[in-house]
Amino acid sequence: MGCAISGLAAKAEFGDRTTEEAAGAAYPSEDQIQMIKESWKVIQDDIAKVGIIMFVRLFETHPECKDVFFLFRDVEDLERLRTSRELRAHGLRVMSFIEKSVARLDQLERLEALALELGKSHYHYNAPPKYYSYVGAEFICAVQPILKERWTAELEEAWKTMFQFVTSLMKKGYEEESNRQRHLALSPKERPDKKNTAL
Ligand code: HEM
């Protein structure tokens, strides 16, 4: 189950960051974009497998994430999940999002909009931002054996940068949606007066 992420613990690398730090997450460089795209050509043949490995590992290393999923929260034997049609479908949804993100690395605004919306939808799935960074770490562990000798420290850094970028925007979207819902829950009288707050 272990997986070395450049010798550092996944938590330190993908650790919880504040929204302020996250909002300023670095955008992948041109070289990193090229590396990610090249490696994706290899990974894409195995997306169903990677999706399943990623989520089974996520549930093993962070069992609290399993509770967020209505379909999986009562499954005790994680080995059973390896053949679950539902987990396969869920893994494919997440992997096709990653595919879209890779395709949009050249269109920053479109990628931002996509990740922001995903964060908003995760507010409604009750999936809080503190868990998002785990997914990138598990993705890296799942694709390393597929890329074999093609895996390098630079490629790992490139994928981490992309995941940090996407998850920081997801966190922003989650918080925006959470504030919006809090505002909607207030009666019109309780809502802050825009004219007053602008002063
Ligand atoms: C990099 C991090 C993540 C990405 C890219 C991601 C992506 C996605 C995508 C593409 C969907 C399909 C529905 C949609 O487009 O709105 C989805 C659904 C969902 N995600 Fe995530 N997710 C991430 C992290 C997490 C985490 C950490 C959790 C739970 C702890 C989670 C819980 C859920 C749930 C409950 C659903 C709805 C059920 C379903 O579609 O099967 N997600 N996610």
Side-chain angles (χ1 to χ4, degrees):
M1 173 170 108
C3 160
I5 297 192
S6 272
L8 287 168
K11 180 145 177 46
E13 297 267 318
F14 287 92
D16 301 338
R17 302 195 300 164
T18 64
T19 318
E20 290 73 28
E21 283 173 298
Y27 190 67
S29 67
E30 279 304 310
D31 284 353
Q32 288 182 320
I33 292 174
Q34 278 322 308
M35 271 189 263
I36 292 173
K37 288 189 179 220
E38 279 303 309
S39 63
W40 182 258
K41 287 184 200 158
V42 181
I43 299 167
Q44 71 184 357
D45 292 336
D46 282 311
I47 50 169
K49 189 170 110 187
V50 172
I52 290 178
I53 295 174
M54 204 163 85
F55 275 92
V56 172
R57 282 187 56 97
L58 179 72
F59 297 158
E60 273 168 359
T61 51
H62 301 284
E64 67 277 21
C65 291
K66 193 161 64 90
D67 296 338
V68 176
F69 292 88
F70 179 72
L71 282 172
F72 312 130
R73 66 171 63 136
D74 295 324
V75 177
E76 297 286 341
D77 178 9
L78 291 178
E79 282 310 306
R80 259 186 49 209
L81 283 183
R82 290 191 197 276
T83 50
S84 147
R85 259 194 308 161
E86 288 80 11
L87 189 67
R88 188 175 193 276
H90 176 76
L92 277 172
R93 280 198 284 278
V94 175
M95 290 300 287
S96 72
F97 177 85
I98 296 171
E99 182 164 46
K100 262 192 233 161
S101 304
V102 173
R104 289 183 188 185
L105 279 170
D106 304 314
Q107 300 156 285
L108 176 61
E109 277 170 27
R110 291 187 67 199
L111 176 54
E112 277 182 5
L114 195 71
L116 210 62
E117 273 315 301
L118 189 65
K120 290 183 186 175
S121 57
H122 278 66
Y123 170 84
H124 297 284
Y125 303 149
N126 289 319
K130 63 180 174 188
Y131 299 148
Y132 302 164
S133 54
Y134 306 152
V135 175
E138 298 309 345
F139 171 85
I140 285 177
C141 290
V143 300
Q144 261 176 346
I146 292 169
L147 286 158
K148 299 188 185 110
E149 66 286 349
R150 274 179 271 216
W151 189 259
T152 61
E154 289 75 27
L155 181 59
E156 182 170 322
E157 203 47 48
W159 275 107
K160 276 180 194 160
T161 308
M162 188 186 114
F163 268 98
Q164 278 164 358
F165 183 75
V166 166
T167 55
S168 67
L169 286 154
M170 284 178 69
K171 288 176 191 180
K172 194 165 171 247
Y174 179 100
E175 273 150 28
E176 279 180 17
E177 187 58 13
S178 153
N179 288 338
R180 198 177 78 87
Q181 293 297 332
R182 215 172 302 137
H183 184 77
L184 288 175
L186 295 173
S187 68
K189 257 180 155 178
E190 291 170 307
R191 288 179 197 162
D193 183 344
K194 279 202 179 117
K195 272 181 257 151
N196 291 339
T197 49
L199 288 174

